[in-house]
Amino acid sequence: MRFAIIMAKIRGFGVGEQPAFGKVFRIESRKSELPNSQESLTVEESLIRFESAVRRVVTEFEVSIRKSPDTTLKAILQAQLALLTDPELSTTIIDSITSGNTLPAAIQATVNEFASLLVGGGTEFEARIADLQQIGSKLREASAGELLPIDFPSEGEWIVVSNDLSPLETSQFTSAIKGVVTKDGGPTSHTAIVCRQLRIPAVVGCGDISKLIANEIVTLDPIENTVYLGKVEINKVAKWWWSLPQRETRSFRPLGNVGSVDDAILVKSSGALGVGLLRTELLFLDSKTEPLIDEQMAIYSEIVSNCPNGEIIFRTLDAGTDKPIPFLNLTKEENPALGLRGQRVAWSNPQFFENQLIAIHRLAAHFPSRKISIMAPMIACAEEAESFSESATRLGFDSIGIMVEVPAIIEEITVLPEAITFLSIGTNDLSQYLFAADRQNSSVAHLLNPWQPILLQTISRICKLSKSRGIKVGVCGEAASDPLLAAVLIGLGVESLSAGVGAVPDLVAISKVLTQTLAEEAASVALNSKSAFEAQLSVRDLLTSDK
């Protein structure tokens, strides 16, 4: 069991399982330090300086993408670069400059305008509100000649402390960075996702971090969601699935999330039994023109060729104005999470979605030994599920599924079309819609903790309703990346778990030792807990006790 001397501490939301300690490396906001020399620039001079600033920041992103050690981080950076190079962003800044605003004011006003459109979104891109502000800061710094990379220490053991971290900053971590603490964010923020992928312990969404002084020692205990001021001895508990004997049969199918060829290679080497989520939108973030059927087939073929043997689940384009893909030509929405996103984009771009289904089905013919499945995101009712399944069935698909992200679809599981044979729960979006909580707002981040008993009860209901129809259920959200929570999900009735490449090896190990009896016991403990914190601690104690 863990123990600690009682001392000053702050609480947040833990990421990872192992504790870490080191000196505090603080990243402070530099907005107020930027010079005001640009106020005297002419419109022409401001435009020239803006174009130069964009080139410099784009170069920094491109270098970080090339050097990124993690494919998930690389995908996030690519999405951010697409946002930075969005013609509408540049056009709006240029229009603001020509209207008489100074360059810094034009950048800030435009960033604020774009960010306001994402408030209340709750999708992956809503987690980019802070990143959008970071892009604005980078552009202002570059335009003032102050674009300086953060000089992360390369020796010793350090804990990065900041209001939040952009993916660009995280990509520049050195091996000396042992942990992260942030004021903002939550369990599904980009900082949490990236730290989990990089296996860096973190405590995010702490609120007040003023007590964490530069160069002072702090200790992170992500399992306890706690940051201690000072060095605290914490017993490291051996991971329970490493010590249990391996079984000949697996308790569930461990799968991987894939968004690139590199992802596919890593998932295959991890021992995964297939791909539970092939994120096709990540393949087209920079596409200015709509890819033709043959072009899509070529891209998909390269990925499938490198995937592990077993089922490969293609998710149709999960895009919208919160995840802009240039060729879709979507207009801005005040609340993109509640608007035209996911499968709903087929309403405005029906030909592309038809072509995507054709490309994937034709691809399957070239891989007769592979099971190629198709799945639609953001399905809200049985009528939408029927429309999607009819299109897929007409083309010849026999393995068709939908994402469960919108709570409304849960009550229609029993009347889904016969063609729907599996469901995949996206726990990130399901949590956001279930609790009406902005995942970028740290004041409500506790509602997005995947250990929330209400969320677990909802997943349990999904599994029971699906079982009554003979429909299989998997999870492909961030909850599948938590080794302890994985046991709970299997106990609730989930049959497969699909996680980012960094978490797949743990899922593979768990699947070889976890028994259904132990999983159901863990699920019962979690469901009967009064809070997310109690559920997490109770399951941890159960699964790490001597058996």
Side-chain angles (χ1 to χ4, degrees), residues 20 22 90 109 131 141 201 236 286 341 352 357 432 450 490 540:
S90 294
D131 298 335
E141 291 172 19
K236 293 185 178 181
D286 299 324
R341 58 161 296 209
F352 171 77
L357 289 177
Q432 295 170 121
I490 299 307
R540 184 209 67 190

Side-chain angles (χ1 to χ4, degrees), residues 50 87 120 264 272-273 307 332 463 511:
F50 171 63
L273 300 184
C307 283
K332 293 290 183 181
C463 291
S511 70

Side-chain angles (χ1 to χ4, degrees), residues 164-205:
D164 202 357
L165 290 168
S166 72
L168 188 61
E169 291 168 332
T170 311
S171 71
Q172 298 165 0
F173 280 0
T174 67
S175 59
I177 304 304
K178 303 302 181 183
V180 168
V181 179
T182 64
K183 170 180 176 290
D184 301 320
T188 59
S189 65
H190 273 162
T191 299
I193 292 172
V194 171
C195 284
R196 187 175 291 113
Q197 287 295 109
L198 298 179
R199 295 179 178 270
I200 296 175
V203 181
V204 301

Side-chain angles (χ1 to χ4, degrees), residues 459-509:
I459 294 174
S460 177
R461 177 164 174 75
I462 293 170
C463 291
K464 290 177 181 177
L465 291 173
S466 300
K467 185 176 181 179
S468 70
R469 278 286 314 276
I471 297 175
K472 296 180 179 180
V473 178
V475 168
C476 63
E478 277 302 301
S481 299
D482 184 332
L484 295 177
L485 189 53
V488 173
L489 295 173
I490 299 307
L492 294 175
V494 173
E495 299 171 75
S496 65
L497 297 176
S498 188
V501 292
V504 175
D506 282 347
L507 288 185
V508 172

